[in-house]
Amino acid sequence: MCGIFGIYRNVDAAANTALGLHALQHRGQEAAGIVSFNGERFFAHRDMGLVGEIFGDEEIIRALPGYAAIGHNRYSTSGETVARNTQPLFAHMDFGGFAVAHNGNLTNSMTLRKELVREGRIFQSTSDTEVIIHLIAKSRESTFKDRLIWALKKVIGAYCLVMLIDDKMIAVRDPYGVRPLSLGKLGEAYIVASESVAFDIIGAEFVRDIEPGEMLFIGNDGLESSFPFEKVNKRLDIFEYIYFSRPDSIVDGRSVYEARINIGRKLAEESHVDADVVVSVPDSGNPSAMGYAREANLPFEMGIIRNHYIGRTFIEPTDKIRHLGVKLKHNASRKCLEGKRVVLVDDSIVRGTTSRKIVEMVRAAGAKEIHFRVSSPPKTWPCFYGIDTPDRSKLIAANHTVEEVEKLIGVDSLKYISLDGLYQAMGEKGRNNDAPQFEDSVFTGDYPIPLVDVNGGNHSRDNISLIRETT
Ligand code: 5GP
Ligand code: MG
């Protein structure tokens, strides 16, 4: 996962980009960077850490002059956790400077990279995004636009890109629209961002979502939109609504908050249990727990309090830190829990580490019964399109039945929302198996975009477990 932001024709381009990245911080906390352009030169600053730490200093913003800037929040899903993978990437091309920031994951980058290296191209990072730069560099098409299209027709995968060249900012969303991308406006300036919350923070107006397969060229003469790729059915990752996007964002015309409330309501309808209180695992479980409480007519209590001064524990790279992180992050409140039959709601169970600790904590705080409710179906497949879901051996639901998970995390009952229930909460009749409305591979193993780097794309449900850790 990552967050991307770009602004064109604005006097405070870099400062606004830093603010936009700050609003998108939840999409990646490992590193961040900004590249600006002042009509003559490109300027770059990238570092590991949080946006506020990296760009909090006025000097640093002043060293990024210009009317255009693009930025990136990194959360490594492909490539190592090293500074040289920090985006935006920048290259000197025959046509001038080129900067690019990418959210998503290419599924044929290893294959392309091998070919490119064999041709004598030298890679500076392990990031899949660098493949795009090399493809543009080698393209024999005449205009930049045609070179970009040529390059993007070779890559397969999920991507939202924002790019900067001498006289244009360019935004592209992959044909399936797996990751979100929206267009905003601030006075004369056009803005592109992963989520609409990045417009709110700088007082910009939301214009519209960028469409799957759409390519936007933004320049001094305005906006030019085109659809250079073959049309396919849109497949936004449903996990953006369940977990990843901020609840105050509007993604593809739907309020993430409302979606989560409805998912919680549906979950309550499907998994009724006699209880006294509904408690959320904050913050990710909050809206769905509220929805659950409304539907079940039970009080919603803040039985677990989250310490806000640490990041998303999941993002810490090692299992050891992750274990520690869970304890650092949450505390149960005896006042709300003692003697109660508790419905505990979280958005997802991945490894099961969080849930086990939380359950232990809630028991220790005196809960009489714990009924765990999950606002997504069991996660049984790895994600190849840009969310950091680990290989199958680490996914608790891929290796255990619901009854076993119930025992492993130590609850009185465990229920997940059904797949059709999830789709119904999203306003659909159910999952249309002939033409699924969302990308939901982590729940179904249905990968709409070929996994070329996985056995040349000839993956089957049996060999998928072996390959996740190769990127
Ligand atoms: P577990 O301990 O089961 O591995 O983690 C479950 C928690 O991780 C849930 O509370 C959920 O909010 C969060 N989570 C689920 N998927 C992701 C992900 O892809 N990235 C991050 N950072 N957190 C996740
Ligand atoms: Mg969580």
Side-chain angles (χ1 to χ4, degrees):
M1 256 316 161
C2 294
I4 60 174
F5 184 94
I7 184 163
Y8 197 88
R9 262 187 120 178
N10 180 263
V11 283
D12 296 313
N16 281 321
T17 303
L19 289 166
L21 292 179
H22 178 62
L24 298 172
Q25 185 77 79
H26 59 290
R27 297 186 72 84
Q29 301 165 332
E30 191 178 282
I34 295 177
V35 171
S36 73
F37 181 65
N38 70 349
E40 278 173 27
R41 273 191 59 197
F42 287 84
F43 302 83
H45 186 79
R46 316 172 185 86
D47 208 346
M48 312 286 281
L50 299 177
V51 176
E53 297 157 7
I54 304 170
F55 295 105
D57 185 346
E58 247 176 81
E59 290 291 306
I60 288 184
I61 296 292
R62 231 176 288 135
L64 293 165
Y67 55 84
I70 65 171
H72 186 262
N73 275 330
R74 177 166 173 82
Y75 169 161
S76 68
T77 53
S78 148
E80 305 155 89
T81 307
V82 288
R84 68 202 164 95
N85 280 343
T86 305
Q87 299 194 17
L89 299 181
F90 179 81
H92 294 283
M93 306 287 239
D94 51 353
F95 54 80
F98 174 72
V100 56
H102 171 202
N103 170 211
N105 221 19
L106 305 182
T107 53
N108 70 339
S109 65
M110 307 292 265
T111 310
L112 289 172
R113 189 188 178 103
K114 264 190 218 142
E115 287 170 27
L116 289 161
V117 168
R118 224 177 286 129
E119 287 170 13
R121 286 163 204 283
I122 295 164
F123 279 76
Q124 314 239 336
S125 75
T126 56
S127 148
D128 57 347
T129 313
E130 196 179 348
V131 165
I132 297 172
I133 297 182
H134 283 284
L135 289 171
I136 295 171
K138 91 172 223 177
S139 168
R140 292 282 155 256
E141 304 291 328
S142 52
T143 65
F144 172 79
K145 186 176 177 185
D146 288 339
R147 287 169 76 164
L148 177 62
I149 294 171
W150 183 87
L152 293 180
K153 283 188 173 170
K154 296 217 172 311
V155 307
I156 299 176
Y159 55 86
C160 281
L161 300 168
V162 59
M163 294 161 274
L164 202 55
I165 56 173
D166 272 14
D167 57 347
K168 290 276 187 305
M169 179 166 84
I170 304 106
V172 190
R173 190 170 175 197
D174 76 69
Y176 290 91
V178 176
R179 299 282 147 238
L181 192 62
S182 355
L183 179 70
K185 217 164 176 211
L186 179 64
E188 293 213 304
Y190 275 109
I191 309 171
V192 164
S194 294
E195 291 179 40
S196 59
V197 286
F199 306 145
D200 299 342
I201 192 173
I202 56 174
E205 95 191 75
F206 171 84
V207 175
R208 64 177 176 87
D209 291 295
I210 295 175
E211 296 291 314
E214 183 170 12
M215 178 178 276
L216 278 179
F217 272 69
I218 298 163
N220 288 332
D221 43 359
L223 207 76
E224 181 210 320
S225 158
S226 60
F227 290 83
F229 313 109
E230 211 171 294
K231 199 170 159 51
V232 291
N233 284 337
K234 171 176 164 181
R235 299 287 291 272
L236 177 83
D237 184 348
I238 201 162
F239 211 59
E240 290 281 350
Y241 291 111
I242 295 167
Y243 168 78
F244 216 84
S245 291
R246 247 172 68 164
D248 46 343
S249 279
I250 310 287
V251 171
D252 276 0
R254 285 182 163 104
S255 147
V256 175
Y257 182 78
E258 224 166 65
R260 282 182 198 166
I261 294 274
N262 290 338
I263 295 170
R265 279 187 179 277
K266 191 74 201 174
L267 178 63
E269 197 187 301
E270 288 187 350
S271 65
H272 172 82
V273 60
D274 289 327
D276 303 309
V277 286
V278 176
V279 167
S280 138
V281 181
D283 290 334
S284 56
N286 291 350
S288 53
M290 285 173 62
Y292 191 109
R294 283 186 204 171
E295 185 67 30
N297 231 336
L298 288 171
F300 171 86
E301 299 284 356
M302 291 176 67
I304 301 171
I305 300 299
R306 168 166 168 201
N307 184 322
H308 279 269
Y309 302 96
I310 57 158
R312 283 188 170 185
T313 48
F314 202 100
I315 280 161
E316 306 296 339
T318 67
D319 273 329
K320 210 163 151 203
I321 298 178
R322 200 174 281 125
H323 277 272
L324 184 68
V326 176
K327 271 201 202 143
L328 287 173
K329 192 167 160 180
H330 294 112
N331 193 26
S333 144
R334 178 163 285 275
K335 187 94 195 68
C336 301
L337 300 167
E338 195 162 29
K340 302 271 173 63
R341 295 170 300 170
V342 178
V343 173
L344 196 55
V345 182
D346 202 356
D347 65 279
S348 56
I349 300 179
V350 186
R351 293 171 173 79
T353 351
T354 310
S355 338
R356 202 174 312 168
K357 296 266 179 214
I358 296 271
V359 167
E360 226 169 77
M361 222 179 256
V362 171
R363 282 258 191 245
K368 202 163 72 186
E369 289 172 22
I370 304 176
H371 302 279
F372 208 99
R373 296 294 180 265
V374 189
S375 64
S376 61
K379 274 194 146 189
T380 47
W381 298 94
C383 176
F384 291 92
Y385 306 139
I387 291 189
D388 178 27
T389 315
D391 77 303
R392 286 200 88 198
S393 64
K394 301 226 172 86
L395 292 172
I396 195 167
N399 300 288
H400 298 281
T401 64
V402 175
E403 291 71 35
E404 286 168 354
V405 178
E406 190 176 275
K407 295 222 168 58
L408 283 168
I409 66 173
V411 290
D412 298 282
S413 79
L414 168 67
K415 292 256 162 60
Y416 294 81
I417 194 170
S418 68
L419 188 63
D420 275 324
L422 173 62
Y423 273 74
Q424 283 154 14
M426 296 303 300
E428 306 287 340
K429 272 204 200 102
R431 186 180 195 267
N432 176 357
N433 293 326
D434 298 325
Q437 303 91 322
F438 292 97
E439 193 286 302
D440 58 7
S441 53
V442 296
F443 310 123
T444 58
D446 167 17
Y447 294 97
I449 306 176
L451 308 178
V452 178
D453 291 338
V454 181
N455 298 333
N458 298 319
H459 58 274
S460 70
R461 288 183 174 225
D462 300 327
N463 65 26
I464 247 166
S465 54
L466 309 172
I467 37 62
R468 164 62 186 156
E469 308 261 67
T470 56
T471 51

